[in-house]
Amino acid sequence: MHIARTGRGAVATTAVAAALAAAALATAPSAGATSAAAPAAVPRTKAVPAIAGHTLVHGVAAPLPTEQCQAKWKIACYSPLQYRTAYDLNPLYRKGVTGKGRTIVIVDSYGSPTIQHDLDVYSKQFGLPSSKVQVVKWGKVPVFDPKNSDMTGWAGESTLDVEMAHAVAPGARIVLVETAVAETEGTTGLPEMMNAEKYLIDHGVGDVITQSFGATENTFPGFEKGDFSSIRKLRYAFEDANRKNVTVLASSGDGGATDETADGKGYYKERVNSWPSSDPLVTSIGGTQLHLDDQGRRVKPDSVYNDNGAGGGGQSHVFSRPAFQNGVKNVVGARRGTPDVSMSAAVNGGAWVYSSYDPTATGWDVSGGTSEASPLFSGIVALADQAAGHRVGNINDALYRLARHHGTGITDVNDGTDNTYAGVTGYQAVNGYDMATGVGTVDALHFVPALAWATAQRR
C-alpha cells in the first residue's frame, strides 16, 4: 500500500457567502458529522503520505541555485520562481489571474503545527505575497510529536502541499484539513479523509481538492476475490464533488507501474494501481522531470519522473474505462488508465520547501514525488476557476478534448523515457496519451483560459 493525496454554481465570493463558508469551517465537528459519515462497512487500508522517501536534502540554511545543487548533491533543485517561468505563469499574474477568490482544500493527516510560519518564511524568501492558511481539525487530532515518524511524515506532506499550491496560485485561499489517525484504535485514515471532504463540499468550502495520498487497490478488503465494494463505498465524497462542481485531484503514486504491498516493505511484482488516483471521478496527476536553468528556462524537454521513485501509472483493476478515455482506448484498453496529466515530481529536479515542525531539522529541504505534482496542479485549477468566473468542476472530459487540439496549452511529453520501477516494466512517454505522463503537462498561459472556456461550454 502506498500513496505517492447538484449545483454548478460558482464558488461564493460575496460577503454573505464568505461568511457562510467561514461559519461552516468554524462549526466543523471535532469528529465526523453524521451527515457526512461513511457507509457502515469501510476498509481499514492504511493511507500513507506520498512524500515519504522523496526528500533527499534536509535542513539547509538557505535555498541554493540549481547549479550549486548539482555540484553539491548531484541533483537539480528548483524554486517557485523557476516553476513560474517553466509553466508560463508570469503573463497570467500580470493579467491579475492569481487564483484570487478561489479556495484550494488540502487534506492530510495530523497536519503541521508550524504551517503558517513556514509558508510566511517560504513566501518571503522568494518575494511572494503570503496567504492565511485556514486549518480545520477533523476529529481529535493528537498533539504534534516531532519524535513520531508518522506525524513528521504527514507534516512534511502538509508543508509541501501548502507551499506548492501557493507557489502556483498565490492569490488563492488555502484550507488545510488535518485529520486524526489513531492507529491504536484500528482507524487508518481513509474514511476520516472522505468524511472531511464531504463535509466541506456540502458546506460550500473549496473549489479544488488536492490529495497527496493513496493506497494500492490490491490492499483493499475483498480485492483478491474480485469484490471491490470496499473501494466503492469510499467514493461518496467524490460523487458529492462531481454533483457540486468541485474539482478533485490525486497523486498517481511513486511506484511507477507497480506500488507498495500492504506491509509497506516491498512492491508488487506485477502492474498494479492505487486509489483514489484510479477513480474516474478524480483527475490523476502524474510526474515529470523538468530540466531547467537557474532562470527556469528548459534546457531540454520534460521527461518521465523516474529517480527516487517513478510516476505512477497504468490500468486500474477496479474501474473500467470511463467515457472520457474512449478516445485513448487503444492505450488504456477496457480499464481506467492513469495518470491524466502530469507536473514536476522528480527528486532530481525537486522543489525547495521550508519547514520548522521538526526542531532538529529546521530549514530548507528539496522534495519531489507526485505529492508535489498534485498541489502544483491544484494551483493551475484555481487559476482556471478565477479566469472562468466559476468552478471548472470535474475537468476530465475537458482535459481529453483539449488534448486533441493544438494551441490549448497541453504539452506532450514524448521523449521515450518510462516509469519502469522496482523490477516491473512500466510505460513509455510517446506521442499522444500514455500511461507514463497522461496527456502530458501544461503551458499555463494557454491552458488556463482553454480550460476555463472548455468547462464553460457544458454549463
Side-chain angles (χ1 to χ4, degrees):
M1 162 187 62
H2 177 69
I3 305 188
R5 261 173 247 307
T6 314
R8 292 187 174 181
V11 67
T13 56
T14 65
V16 173
L20 289 173
L25 287 172
T27 59
S30 59
T34 55
S35 63
V42 292
R44 292 305 182 193
T45 301
K46 184 180 178 182
V48 178
I51 195 175
H54 303 292
T55 300
L56 293 188
V57 177
H58 295 274
V60 179
L64 303 179
T66 299
E67 288 187 3
Q68 291 185 33
C69 287
Q70 291 169 328
K72 188 176 180 67
W73 299 299
K74 309 303 180 187
I75 63 171
C77 52
Y78 300 136
S79 76
L81 305 182
Q82 288 166 284
Y83 285 152
R84 290 176 168 208
T85 297
Y87 290 118
D88 208 5
L89 288 159
N90 289 316
L92 289 173
Y93 300 150
R94 289 194 289 269
K95 295 177 182 179
V97 180
T98 63
K100 184 178 181 180
R102 320 316 296 186
T103 300
I104 299 170
V105 173
I106 295 167
V107 183
D108 286 312
S109 293
Y110 301 130
S112 166
T114 59
I115 194 65
Q116 185 64 61
H117 169 266
D118 295 346
L119 180 62
D120 292 343
V121 172
Y122 175 85
S123 299
K124 183 178 180 180
Q125 174 68 37
F126 298 113
L128 312 180
S130 195
S131 177
K132 170 69 174 175
V133 181
Q134 187 152 6
V135 175
V136 176
K137 293 186 180 296
W138 186 265
K140 296 180 180 178
V141 181
V143 175
F144 186 79
D145 178 2
K147 296 180 181 179
N148 182 311
S149 60
D150 280 345
M151 288 189 174
T152 55
W154 281 106
E157 183 60 71
S158 301
T159 305
L160 177 65
D161 290 345
V162 167
E163 292 178 7
M164 293 304 99
H166 182 67
V168 175
R173 176 188 180 205
I174 295 176
V175 175
L176 174 62
V177 182
E178 301 175 350
T179 65
V181 179
E183 296 295 342
T184 56
E185 299 174 6
T187 302
T188 49
L190 287 170
E192 289 80 1
M193 290 170 167
M194 296 303 105
N195 289 352
E197 290 181 16
K198 188 175 188 302
Y199 183 88
L200 295 187
I201 293 165
D202 286 343
H203 287 78
V205 179
D207 303 298
V208 52
I209 298 171
T210 176
Q211 306 167 111
S212 290
F213 57 81
T216 309
E217 291 176 337
N218 307 52
T219 66
F220 283 84
F223 180 90
E224 294 300 327
K225 298 179 181 179
D227 177 7
F228 306 138
S229 60
S230 59
I231 290 180
R232 296 189 185 280
K233 288 176 181 177
L234 278 174
R235 304 182 71 216
Y236 50 92
F238 303 155
E239 292 165 344
D240 202 29
N242 194 51
R243 287 191 296 270
K244 296 178 179 175
N245 240 34
V246 175
T247 310
V248 182
L249 314 175
S251 301
S252 69
D254 298 280
T258 184
D259 219 325
E260 288 188 4
T261 51
D263 60 9
K265 296 180 179 179
Y267 289 84
Y268 283 89
K269 301 302 182 183
E270 69 271 9
R271 291 172 170 178
V272 300
N273 212 313
S274 64
W275 186 89
S277 167
S278 64
D279 201 298
L281 294 176
V282 170
T283 300
S284 174
I285 312 300
T288 60
Q289 181 178 29
L290 296 179
H291 308 278
L292 309 177
D293 64 17
D294 279 326
Q295 286 70 48
R297 297 176 299 226
R298 282 177 171 81
V299 297
K300 66 178 182 177
D302 299 3
S303 52
V304 179
Y305 149 48
N306 194 338
D307 47 26
N308 287 75
Q315 293 175 307
S316 169
H317 294 287
V318 174
F319 299 100
S320 59
R321 185 184 71 242
F324 62 80
Q325 288 191 317
N326 284 345
V328 295
K329 64 182 178 181
N330 62 315
V331 179
V332 303
R335 314 307 305 168
R336 159 57 161 149
T338 63
D340 295 310
V341 65
S342 294
M343 298 288 280
S344 180
V347 181
N348 182 5
W352 281 110
V353 177
Y354 179 83
S355 68
S356 62
Y357 56 83
D358 181 353
T360 67
T362 294
W364 293 87
D365 305 333
V366 178
S367 296
T370 55
S371 57
E372 174 195 356
S374 187
L376 283 174
F377 196 79
S378 75
I380 297 290
V381 174
L383 300 181
D385 285 333
Q386 181 192 355
H390 58 77
R391 292 174 177 166
V392 295
N394 186 328
I395 69 169
N396 288 341
D397 183 67
L399 186 64
Y400 284 82
R401 282 190 287 117
L402 291 174
R404 295 196 291 267
H405 302 282
H406 295 292
T408 59
I410 293 179
T411 304
D412 197 8
V413 178
N414 55 4
D415 72 332
T417 52
D418 62 59
N419 62 350
T420 295
Y421 192 71
V424 176
T425 301
Y427 303 91
Q428 197 172 42
V430 296
N431 292 333
Y433 178 86
D434 53 66
M435 289 187 288
T437 62
V439 298
T441 190
V442 299
D443 177 320
L445 177 61
H446 302 287
F447 178 73
V448 164
L451 182 61
W453 176 84
T455 55
Q457 303 311 298
R458 68 179 185 222
R459 293 173 69 82

